[in-house]
Amino acid sequence: MAFMEILSSLLPGVRALRAPLFAGVLWLGVAVIILAPYRDGLLTTSETGLAIKELASGWTGGFAIPAALFLSYLLGNVATGILSPLVKLVGNGINKALAWVASKENRFTARTDGAFQQKARRPYRLFRIIRKVEFSARPMSVSARSLAIDAIAASLHKAGVPGMAIYIFPIEAGIRDLRHSAAQLSQSASPQYQEFDRIQAESELRLAIAPPIVALGIVFPLNGSSWFVCATLLIAAVLLIQALIHHRRTVEILATSAYLGFTVIPLVQSVADRLSQLEEPPRSDGGWMGAIVVALHQGNHLDEEEESLRELAEFNEIDRADARSYLEQHDLEAAESFDRLMEKRVPPPWEREQTESPTEVPLSD
């Protein structure tokens, strides 16, 4: 039992070594191929340079292999720290581009007359494929998102927040904060954490080795190099897709754990704790909306507070008035921010129509 506990505590550290070490070995191979033709001129002919050459010529495998592994690990850490965020940034840009293209579907398939339908059939099929690709490329699956939203709603409901007021909470910020619950999972559900850590390590490994594989294919001196480059590009694409799939699985584990109560989302728990300690709970949905905004402000979650105020501005006039009254009593700064937001707000068409064309009350005979 003690051995298994020691092994389970060592596994996360061993997994964390794999990605930078493997990526560093590949990057070291790229560097060797590039610098090999210039090996005689890399060091100067000074006394120090000649001494280093003489020392290197006498290196044995017992010294050279550990030195190469250390250099690979160092190189892999630097390269992974630079390239992995760039790869994720490019992936997010591609996903946003796919979402933008999918949003233009109605421009091609909105009309229903027969002649246009024949022309729009192919674009409709194309957009259906684009939508499927865009959904698959999202870092969070629909099921995981639903579980996370249910977990957020359950935590706020336990604090006394009624159903409608929950929608004022910045859901997207809560979902982004889900990744911080992994540390809790290691204490509350060790088997689930081991699975999470294993899958996350697999995702990071594939993300780390994809760029050096492409670079190795480009610089490798091989006849028919164009085919070799195409093969490495295909391998890198498969690895990146697998990295995305593994990442989605880690998010699903965290969302499921939050839904089952194994973990709590820090942002949600911070707000729920403040709401549960209210001496006088609000009596209306609008009052609870104001209380959520105040709790976010007290927790110094300023960006999330602004997001909630924007969401509050889209609710009906009664809820806005109740929330504004609560803010004025408990957080004057938030009330002023809400007033400034309402001044800049452009009412939706249906609201402008109600304002410009009030309903006429028929006169009684």
Side-chain angles (χ1 to χ4, degrees), residues 30-217:
V30 173
V32 168
I33 293 173
I34 293 175
L35 299 177
Y38 312 100
R39 62 183 182 278
D40 294 332
L42 288 178
L43 296 176
T44 62
T45 56
S46 63
E47 183 178 350
T48 304
L50 294 175
I52 293 176
K53 285 183 179 180
E54 183 179 356
L55 179 64
S57 62
W59 282 0
T60 61
F63 179 79
I65 293 176
L69 289 175
F70 173 77
L71 182 60
S72 299
Y73 179 72
L74 181 63
L75 185 61
N77 264 314
V78 174
T80 303
I82 296 173
L83 293 178
S84 292
L86 289 178
V87 173
K88 292 179 181 179
L89 186 64
V90 172
N92 290 334
I94 294 174
N95 197 17
K96 289 180 180 179
L98 289 173
W100 180 83
V101 173
S103 67
K104 303 300 179 181
E105 178 183 0
N106 290 337
R107 295 184 58 182
F108 296 90
T109 60
R111 291 174 56 181
T112 56
D113 55 286
F116 189 81
Q117 271 189 334
Q118 291 293 332
K119 296 180 181 180
R121 186 173 300 169
R122 289 184 179 178
Y124 175 78
R125 292 174 180 173
L126 176 62
F127 278 110
R128 186 169 60 182
I129 295 173
I130 293 175
R131 283 200 309 272
K132 289 183 178 179
V133 173
E134 190 265 331
F135 271 106
S136 301
R138 290 180 181 179
M140 189 176 197
S141 65
V142 176
S143 60
R145 182 181 178 83
S146 299
L147 289 172
I149 293 174
D150 289 344
I152 293 172
S155 297
L156 294 177
H157 183 69
K158 288 180 181 178
V161 182
M164 286 299 297
I166 291 175
Y167 293 105
I168 201 66
F169 186 85
I171 298 295
E172 295 301 326
I175 291 175
R176 290 194 299 268
D177 210 38
L178 185 67
R179 66 183 185 274
H180 298 306
S181 62
Q184 306 170 34
L185 191 62
S186 64
Q187 302 297 321
S188 59
S190 181
Q192 284 79 4
Y193 177 75
Q194 291 294 334
E195 181 70 5
F196 165 82
D197 184 71
R198 183 186 66 80
I199 298 174
Q200 185 183 45
E202 294 293 335
S203 175
E204 293 175 350
L205 174 63
R206 285 158 174 77
L207 186 63
I209 65 176
I213 285 177
V214 175
L216 194 62

Side-chain angles (χ1 to χ4, degrees), residues 58 105 231 234 236 253:
E105 178 183 0
L234 180 61
I253 292 174

